[in-house]
Amino acid sequence: MKLVIAALALHLLFASPARPRDIAPDFTAREVGGKPVRLAKLRGKPVTLFVFCGCEACHKIAKEWTGYARDRVLPAGSGPTIAAYMGDRATAIAFAQETGLPKTVTLIPDRNLEITQKYGVAPCPRVFVIDAVGRVRYTNNHSDDRPQKAAPALITGRALQALRQLAPEHEGAAHAAH
């Protein structure tokens, strides 16, 4: 598995990652319980997508996000959180237990690295805030919030800020639909 991840990392160094204003790449995968998840079916609400490999930085980000969920600071209507884990079901579950990820986070084992490749994730941890129409509104790819370099609170704080900025848009879209 480490060889596969190393080869993928080399490939992804030259890949074009999903950036703000891009349409988020769609995917269909099975969460740890076996239920299918398709990103496109979640349109209408913002989605927060994390990609984790299980390294120390991934643990720190996951724990930070867990604190936000526990302390209920995520905005109302912020939509689902998905955690794609670069590994099999057992290691994904172990990661979730180690970091305290709440049951409300949809945990997807990304053993074949399909989501990882679609999003051009290298290095991790990465977070993508996707708006209600499916556009990436934030990802940690700036000089000060790069994966493996920035403080977990900075990365998760910016994701939270992006969700808060989407809350009025989501509310307006929900009211317009009624």
Side-chain angles (χ1 to χ4, degrees), residues 133-153:
V133 297
R135 290 199 181 278
V136 175
R137 296 298 284 271
Y138 168 75
T139 187
N140 56 313
N141 65 348
H142 308 92
S143 61
D144 64 341
D145 67 358
R146 289 191 330 244
Q148 303 285 326
K149 304 289 182 201

Side-chain angles (χ1 to χ4, degrees), residues 57-72:
C58 288
H59 274 78
K60 288 178 180 178
I61 296 287
K63 287 177 181 177
E64 188 79 23
W65 196 256
T66 295
Y68 288 167
R70 180 192 61 235
D71 297 343
R72 301 178 193 266

Side-chain angles (χ1 to χ4, degrees), residues 11 54 101 103 108 141 155-156 165-166:
H11 165 74
L101 278 177
K103 302 271 187 230
I108 299 175
N141 65 348
I155 294 170
T156 57
Q165 290 171 345
L166 292 176

